[in-house]
PDB file of all heavy atoms in Angstrom:
ATOM      1  N   GLY O   1      -5.120  -5.215  -6.423  1.00 97.00           N
ATOM      2  CA  GLY O   1      -5.341  -4.899  -7.818  1.00 97.00           C
ATOM      3  C   GLY O   1      -6.358  -5.835  -8.442  1.00 97.00           C
ATOM      4  O   GLY O   1      -6.760  -6.830  -7.854  1.00 97.00           O
ATOM      5  N   GLY O   2      -6.776  -5.495  -9.656  1.00 97.00           N
ATOM      6  CA  GLY O   2      -7.746  -6.314 -10.354  1.00 97.00           C
ATOM      7  C   GLY O   2      -8.346  -5.591 -11.533  1.00 97.00           C
ATOM      8  O   GLY O   2      -7.849  -4.550 -11.964  1.00 97.00           O
ATOM      9  N   LEU O   3      -9.434  -6.146 -12.049  1.00 98.00           N
ATOM     10  CA  LEU O   3     -10.150  -5.597 -13.194  1.00 98.00           C
ATOM     11  C   LEU O   3     -11.446  -4.951 -12.722  1.00 98.00           C
ATOM     12  O   LEU O   3     -12.256  -5.593 -12.051  1.00 98.00           O
ATOM     13  CB  LEU O   3     -10.451  -6.701 -14.206  1.00 98.00           C
ATOM     14  CG  LEU O   3     -11.327  -6.332 -15.398  1.00 98.00           C
ATOM     15  CD1 LEU O   3     -10.637  -5.293 -16.266  1.00 98.00           C
ATOM     16  CD2 LEU O   3     -11.654  -7.581 -16.207  1.00 98.00           C
ATOM     17  N   VAL O   4     -11.631  -3.683 -13.069  1.00 98.00           N
ATOM     18  CA  VAL O   4     -12.846  -2.965 -12.716  1.00 98.00           C
ATOM     19  C   VAL O   4     -13.329  -2.156 -13.910  1.00 98.00           C
ATOM     20  O   VAL O   4     -12.565  -1.853 -14.825  1.00 98.00           O
ATOM     21  CB  VAL O   4     -12.649  -2.025 -11.511  1.00 98.00           C
ATOM     22  CG1 VAL O   4     -12.267  -2.809 -10.265  1.00 98.00           C
ATOM     23  CG2 VAL O   4     -11.591  -0.974 -11.826  1.00 98.00           C
ATOM     24  N   GLN O   5     -14.607  -1.801 -13.888  1.00 98.00           N
ATOM     25  CA  GLN O   5     -15.162  -0.933 -14.908  1.00 98.00           C
ATOM     26  C   GLN O   5     -14.863   0.526 -14.591  1.00 98.00           C
ATOM     27  O   GLN O   5     -14.656   0.894 -13.428  1.00 98.00           O
ATOM     28  CB  GLN O   5     -16.672  -1.128 -15.023  1.00 98.00           C
ATOM     29  CG  GLN O   5     -17.094  -2.484 -15.558  1.00 98.00           C
ATOM     30  CD  GLN O   5     -18.591  -2.594 -15.723  1.00 98.00           C
ATOM     31  OE1 GLN O   5     -19.357  -2.031 -14.954  1.00 98.00           O
ATOM     32  NE2 GLN O   5     -19.012  -3.326 -16.741  1.00 98.00           N
ATOM     33  N   ALA O   6     -14.833   1.350 -15.622  1.00 98.00           N
ATOM     34  CA  ALA O   6     -14.644   2.779 -15.421  1.00 98.00           C
ATOM     35  C   ALA O   6     -15.681   3.315 -14.442  1.00 98.00           C
ATOM     36  O   ALA O   6     -16.862   2.967 -14.517  1.00 98.00           O
ATOM     37  CB  ALA O   6     -14.733   3.516 -16.750  1.00 98.00           C
ATOM     38  N   GLY O   7     -15.223   4.157 -13.528  1.00 98.00           N
ATOM     39  CA  GLY O   7     -16.083   4.691 -12.492  1.00 98.00           C
ATOM     40  C   GLY O   7     -16.062   3.895 -11.203  1.00 98.00           C
ATOM     41  O   GLY O   7     -16.583   4.363 -10.179  1.00 98.00           O
ATOM     42  N   GLY O   8     -15.467   2.728 -11.230  1.00 98.00           N
ATOM     43  CA  GLY O   8     -15.395   1.888 -10.058  1.00 98.00           C
ATOM     44  C   GLY O   8     -14.251   2.259  -9.142  1.00 98.00           C
ATOM     45  O   GLY O   8     -13.520   3.225  -9.376  1.00 98.00           O
ATOM     46  N   SER O   9     -14.079   1.459  -8.089  1.00 98.00           N
ATOM     47  CA  SER O   9     -13.078   1.736  -7.066  1.00 98.00           C
ATOM     48  C   SER O   9     -12.259   0.500  -6.739  1.00 98.00           C
ATOM     49  O   SER O   9     -12.734  -0.630  -6.863  1.00 98.00           O
ATOM     50  CB  SER O   9     -13.741   2.230  -5.779  1.00 98.00           C
ATOM     51  OG  SER O   9     -14.440   3.441  -5.978  1.00 98.00           O
ATOM     52  N   LEU O  10     -11.036   0.730  -6.317  1.00 98.00           N
ATOM     53  CA  LEU O  10     -10.161  -0.303  -5.784  1.00 98.00           C
ATOM     54  C   LEU O  10      -9.383   0.281  -4.619  1.00 98.00           C
ATOM     55  O   LEU O  10      -9.104   1.474  -4.593  1.00 98.00           O
ATOM     56  CB  LEU O  10      -9.171  -0.807  -6.831  1.00 98.00           C
ATOM     57  CG  LEU O  10      -9.672  -1.722  -7.939  1.00 98.00           C
ATOM     58  CD1 LEU O  10      -8.554  -1.955  -8.952  1.00 98.00           C
ATOM     59  CD2 LEU O  10     -10.156  -3.047  -7.374  1.00 98.00           C
ATOM     60  N   ARG O  11      -9.012  -0.573  -3.685  1.00 98.00           N
ATOM     61  CA  ARG O  11      -8.141  -0.174  -2.593  1.00 98.00           C
ATOM     62  C   ARG O  11      -6.901  -1.051  -2.602  1.00 98.00           C
ATOM     63  O   ARG O  11      -6.995  -2.263  -2.395  1.00 98.00           O
ATOM     64  CB  ARG O  11      -8.839  -0.291  -1.246  1.00 98.00           C
ATOM     65  CG  ARG O  11      -8.044   0.345  -0.100  1.00 98.00           C
ATOM     66  CD  ARG O  11      -8.631   0.018   1.245  1.00 98.00           C
ATOM     67  NE  ARG O  11      -8.092   0.857   2.302  1.00 98.00           N
ATOM     68  CZ  ARG O  11      -8.125   0.561   3.597  1.00 98.00           C
ATOM     69  NH1 ARG O  11      -8.713  -0.561   3.997  1.00 98.00           N
ATOM     70  NH2 ARG O  11      -7.607   1.394   4.485  1.00 98.00           N
ATOM     71  N   LEU O  12      -5.759  -0.446  -2.854  1.00 98.00           N
ATOM     72  CA  LEU O  12      -4.503  -1.161  -2.846  1.00 98.00           C
ATOM     73  C   LEU O  12      -3.884  -1.124  -1.458  1.00 98.00           C
ATOM     74  O   LEU O  12      -3.980  -0.126  -0.748  1.00 98.00           O
ATOM     75  CB  LEU O  12      -3.514  -0.552  -3.841  1.00 98.00           C
ATOM     76  CG  LEU O  12      -3.977  -0.422  -5.291  1.00 98.00           C
ATOM     77  CD1 LEU O  12      -2.840   0.114  -6.152  1.00 98.00           C
ATOM     78  CD2 LEU O  12      -4.485  -1.752  -5.832  1.00 98.00           C
ATOM     79  N   SER O  13      -3.234  -2.213  -1.085  1.00 98.00           N
ATOM     80  CA  SER O  13      -2.516  -2.294   0.173  1.00 98.00           C
ATOM     81  C   SER O  13      -1.069  -2.663  -0.088  1.00 98.00           C
ATOM     82  O   SER O  13      -0.762  -3.372  -1.049  1.00 98.00           O
ATOM     83  CB  SER O  13      -3.144  -3.340   1.100  1.00 98.00           C
ATOM     84  OG  SER O  13      -4.469  -3.005   1.437  1.00 98.00           O
ATOM     85  N   CYS O  14      -0.190  -2.188   0.760  1.00 97.00           N
ATOM     86  CA  CYS O  14       1.223  -2.524   0.687  1.00 97.00           C
ATOM     87  C   CYS O  14       1.675  -2.911   2.083  1.00 97.00           C
ATOM     88  O   CYS O  14       1.759  -2.057   2.972  1.00 97.00           O
ATOM     89  CB  CYS O  14       2.031  -1.340   0.154  1.00 97.00           C
ATOM     90  SG  CYS O  14       3.814  -1.614   0.127  1.00 97.00           S
ATOM     91  N   ALA O  15       1.938  -4.182   2.272  1.00 95.00           N
ATOM     92  CA  ALA O  15       2.355  -4.700   3.567  1.00 95.00           C
ATOM     93  C   ALA O  15       3.867  -4.848   3.604  1.00 95.00           C
ATOM     94  O   ALA O  15       4.452  -5.496   2.734  1.00 95.00           O
ATOM     95  CB  ALA O  15       1.688  -6.044   3.841  1.00 95.00           C
ATOM     96  N   ALA O  16       4.488  -4.256   4.606  1.00 93.00           N
ATOM     97  CA  ALA O  16       5.939  -4.285   4.745  1.00 93.00           C
ATOM     98  C   ALA O  16       6.351  -5.252   5.838  1.00 93.00           C
ATOM     99  O   ALA O  16       5.669  -5.397   6.858  1.00 93.00           O
ATOM    100  CB  ALA O  16       6.471  -2.892   5.057  1.00 93.00           C
ATOM    101  N   SER O  17       7.482  -5.895   5.634  1.00 93.00           N
ATOM    102  CA  SER O  17       8.029  -6.801   6.631  1.00 93.00           C
ATOM    103  C   SER O  17       9.550  -6.752   6.588  1.00 93.00           C
ATOM    104  O   SER O  17      10.144  -6.277   5.618  1.00 93.00           O
ATOM    105  CB  SER O  17       7.535  -8.230   6.410  1.00 93.00           C
ATOM    106  OG  SER O  17       7.957  -8.730   5.150  1.00 93.00           O
ATOM    107  N   GLY O  18      10.185  -7.245   7.631  1.00 91.00           N
ATOM    108  CA  GLY O  18      11.634  -7.269   7.705  1.00 91.00           C
ATOM    109  C   GLY O  18      12.245  -6.076   8.401  1.00 91.00           C
ATOM    110  O   GLY O  18      13.398  -6.134   8.836  1.00 91.00           O
ATOM    111  N   ARG O  19      11.510  -5.000   8.483  1.00 85.00           N
ATOM    112  CA  ARG O  19      11.912  -3.808   9.200  1.00 85.00           C
ATOM    113  C   ARG O  19      10.672  -2.975   9.452  1.00 85.00           C
ATOM    114  O   ARG O  19       9.628  -3.225   8.842  1.00 85.00           O
ATOM    115  CB  ARG O  19      12.966  -2.998   8.435  1.00 85.00           C
ATOM    116  CG  ARG O  19      12.447  -2.349   7.164  1.00 85.00           C
ATOM    117  CD  ARG O  19      13.559  -1.683   6.361  1.00 85.00           C
ATOM    118  NE  ARG O  19      14.153  -0.540   7.037  1.00 85.00           N
ATOM    119  CZ  ARG O  19      13.699   0.714   6.972  1.00 85.00           C
ATOM    120  NH1 ARG O  19      12.603   0.987   6.259  1.00 85.00           N
ATOM    121  NH2 ARG O  19      14.322   1.693   7.609  1.00 85.00           N
ATOM    122  N   THR O  20      10.769  -1.985  10.293  1.00 86.00           N
ATOM    123  CA  THR O  20       9.672  -1.048  10.480  1.00 86.00           C
ATOM    124  C   THR O  20       9.861   0.138   9.549  1.00 86.00           C
ATOM    125  O   THR O  20      10.986   0.563   9.282  1.00 86.00           O
ATOM    126  CB  THR O  20       9.573  -0.564  11.932  1.00 86.00           C
ATOM    127  OG1 THR O  20      10.790   0.084  12.312  1.00 86.00           O
ATOM    128  CG2 THR O  20       9.315  -1.729  12.862  1.00 86.00           C
ATOM    129  N   PHE O  21       8.755   0.654   9.054  1.00 87.00           N
ATOM    130  CA  PHE O  21       8.790   1.743   8.086  1.00 87.00           C
ATOM    131  C   PHE O  21       8.200   3.036   8.636  1.00 87.00           C
ATOM    132  O   PHE O  21       7.925   3.966   7.875  1.00 87.00           O
ATOM    133  CB  PHE O  21       8.049   1.320   6.813  1.00 87.00           C
ATOM    134  CG  PHE O  21       8.752   0.249   6.041  1.00 87.00           C
ATOM    135  CD1 PHE O  21       8.638  -1.078   6.406  1.00 87.00           C
ATOM    136  CD2 PHE O  21       9.543   0.569   4.948  1.00 87.00           C
ATOM    137  CE1 PHE O  21       9.296  -2.076   5.699  1.00 87.00           C
ATOM    138  CE2 PHE O  21      10.201  -0.415   4.229  1.00 87.00           C
ATOM    139  CZ  PHE O  21      10.078  -1.743   4.609  1.00 87.00           C
ATOM    140  N   ARG O  22       8.027   3.109   9.942  1.00 85.00           N
ATOM    141  CA  ARG O  22       7.359   4.270  10.521  1.00 85.00           C
ATOM    142  C   ARG O  22       8.149   5.559  10.384  1.00 85.00           C
ATOM    143  O   ARG O  22       7.571   6.648  10.491  1.00 85.00           O
ATOM    144  CB  ARG O  22       7.017   4.011  11.986  1.00 85.00           C
ATOM    145  CG  ARG O  22       8.208   3.762  12.888  1.00 85.00           C
ATOM    146  CD  ARG O  22       7.727   3.473  14.305  1.00 85.00           C
ATOM    147  NE  ARG O  22       8.822   3.108  15.195  1.00 85.00           N
ATOM    148  CZ  ARG O  22       9.261   1.874  15.378  1.00 85.00           C
ATOM    149  NH1 ARG O  22       8.681   0.857  14.747  1.00 85.00           N
ATOM    150  NH2 ARG O  22      10.268   1.631  16.209  1.00 85.00           N
ATOM    151  N   ARG O  23       9.449   5.485  10.151  1.00 88.00           N
ATOM    152  CA  ARG O  23      10.265   6.679   9.954  1.00 88.00           C
ATOM    153  C   ARG O  23      10.498   6.984   8.477  1.00 88.00           C
ATOM    154  O   ARG O  23      11.263   7.894   8.153  1.00 88.00           O
ATOM    155  CB  ARG O  23      11.608   6.548  10.672  1.00 88.00           C
ATOM    156  CG  ARG O  23      11.497   6.504  12.193  1.00 88.00           C
ATOM    157  CD  ARG O  23      12.868   6.553  12.849  1.00 88.00           C
ATOM    158  NE  ARG O  23      13.669   5.380  12.509  1.00 88.00           N
ATOM    159  CZ  ARG O  23      13.641   4.230  13.154  1.00 88.00           C
ATOM    160  NH1 ARG O  23      12.829   4.095  14.207  1.00 88.00           N
ATOM    161  NH2 ARG O  23      14.401   3.224  12.772  1.00 88.00           N
ATOM    162  N   ASP O  24       9.842   6.247   7.601  1.00 91.00           N
ATOM    163  CA  ASP O  24      10.053   6.378   6.167  1.00 91.00           C
ATOM    164  C   ASP O  24       8.880   7.047   5.482  1.00 91.00           C
ATOM    165  O   ASP O  24       7.724   6.741   5.766  1.00 91.00           O
ATOM    166  CB  ASP O  24      10.232   4.997   5.533  1.00 91.00           C
ATOM    167  CG  ASP O  24      11.364   4.190   6.124  1.00 91.00           C
ATOM    168  OD1 ASP O  24      12.165   4.743   6.907  1.00 91.00           O
ATOM    169  OD2 ASP O  24      11.451   2.994   5.799  1.00 91.00           O
ATOM    170  N   ALA O  25       9.189   7.944   4.544  1.00 93.00           N
ATOM    171  CA  ALA O  25       8.175   8.371   3.607  1.00 93.00           C
ATOM    172  C   ALA O  25       7.850   7.208   2.666  1.00 93.00           C
ATOM    173  O   ALA O  25       8.722   6.395   2.353  1.00 93.00           O
ATOM    174  CB  ALA O  25       8.657   9.575   2.813  1.00 93.00           C
ATOM    175  N   MET O  26       6.603   7.128   2.231  1.00 94.00           N
ATOM    176  CA  MET O  26       6.161   6.048   1.365  1.00 94.00           C
ATOM    177  C   MET O  26       5.535   6.624   0.104  1.00 94.00           C
ATOM    178  O   MET O  26       4.915   7.692   0.146  1.00 94.00           O
ATOM    179  CB  MET O  26       5.139   5.163   2.068  1.00 94.00           C
ATOM    180  CG  MET O  26       5.617   4.546   3.373  1.00 94.00           C
ATOM    181  SD  MET O  26       6.909   3.290   3.132  1.00 94.00           S
ATOM    182  CE  MET O  26       5.969   2.005   2.278  1.00 94.00           C
ATOM    183  N   GLY O  27       5.683   5.903  -0.992  1.00 96.00           N
ATOM    184  CA  GLY O  27       5.114   6.350  -2.249  1.00 96.00           C
ATOM    185  C   GLY O  27       4.477   5.223  -3.032  1.00 96.00           C
ATOM    186  O   GLY O  27       4.823   4.052  -2.863  1.00 96.00           O
TER     187      GLY O  27
END
């Protein structure tokens, strides 16, 4: 996350730990 101007782009990441999430739907 961060501050961007209108029309710009960001890429969010979500790193999971403590278990595997390959059988889970994500939102």
Side-chain angles (χ1 to χ4, degrees):
L3 174 64
V4 298
Q5 293 183 326
S9 298
L10 286 173
R11 190 190 194 200
L12 305 184
S13 298
C14 176
S17 62
R19 68 186 294 273
T20 60
F21 291 81
R22 62 182 175 271
R23 294 187 296 274
D24 303 350
M26 303 291 293

